[in-house]
Each structure stands twice: as structure tokens, then as C-alpha cells.
Amino acid sequence: MRDRPVIMMSDKDDGHDNDTGVITKTRAKTARPPLYKVLILNDDYTPMEFVVHVLERFFGLSHSQASELMLTVHKKGVAVVGVFSFEVAETKVAQVMDFARRHQHPLQCTMEKE
């Protein structure tokens, strides 16, 4: 006589609703990470063309976009230059601040939660 496989029933919850036979699944919703605005602040000493260069180099703007945004900073005192995840915003701020310091300009770049 051959051995037959033994099937054991378990009391574990297998995702089935025992009354209806319907499989129920729950999926946790993943929250979107917060975004951060990177801001450039106006000062009376940093040359406008340097600000344009920073906007082109670190934020990928065209010369005309960078010039327009630089004028916004000049007229309004501050402008949002991009919105990023925390890590990217933090890196951009550090890059701009380091670049400005190395070129002896007091340009200020900050970030704030959107």
C-alpha cells in the first residue's frame, strides 16, 4: 500500500473570510514625503550675473529663465527657485552656499517646508 500525503487544517488566518469564502486584503497607504521650497534671497552685494549663473548651474534653468527669476529676486527680495524632496533641497542649498562663499559673495539660499 502506498503512503498518501496528509493534508492538515490550521486555525491560522489565511486571509479568507470563513463565513463567505471571500479573500480580504488590506493595503497600507504610503504617505507622500513632504516637499521643500528652495529660496534665493536678495542682497545688495552679489552681482546679478552671478545669481543668473547659480540658477543655471544648480537648478538647470535656461539663461532667459534664470535672468527672469533673478529679477524677481531683485524686485521682491526672495523667490522660490525649485521644490524638492528634503535631501535634494538640502543638497542644493549647501551647493549654492558653498559656491557663493568660494566666490566671496554673501548670496543666501534657504529652504522651507512647502
Side-chain angles (χ1 to χ4, degrees):
M1 190 178 205
R2 291 175 36 189
D3 289 331
R4 291 187 177 173
V6 177
I7 300 174
M8 308 265 312
M9 298 302 281
S10 170
D11 289 337
K12 291 181 186 176
D13 182 19
D14 59 0
H16 286 82
D17 181 340
N18 292 332
D19 294 336
T20 63
V22 174
I23 297 175
T24 57
K25 291 185 180 181
T26 57
R27 177 178 272 178
K29 288 196 174 196
T30 305
R32 289 184 181 265
L35 295 176
Y36 291 80
K37 298 184 282 190
V38 174
L39 306 144
I40 295 278
L41 300 143
N42 188 43
D43 64 69
D44 294 332
Y45 304 102
T46 304
M48 291 179 175
E49 199 53 43
F50 182 79
V51 176
V52 170
H53 179 69
V54 164
L55 295 171
E56 291 172 345
R57 179 173 179 161
F58 296 104
F59 298 95
L61 300 178
S62 69
H63 188 75
S64 62
Q65 291 171 321
S67 296
E68 190 175 318
L69 195 53
M70 175 276 300
L71 287 173
T72 301
V73 172
H74 181 70
K75 292 175 184 174
K76 296 191 177 189
V78 66
V80 175
V81 296
V83 179
F84 308 97
S85 68
F86 178 81
E87 292 81 9
V88 173
E90 185 177 51
T91 300
K92 297 264 187 203
V93 168
Q95 288 173 328
V96 169
M97 295 296 291
D98 181 57
F99 189 71
R101 295 301 157 263
R102 283 189 283 126
H103 289 84
Q104 300 178 349
H105 295 299
L107 181 65
Q108 293 294 303
C109 183
T110 63
M111 61 187 263
E112 64 182 42
K113 199 170 187 177
E114 187 171 46

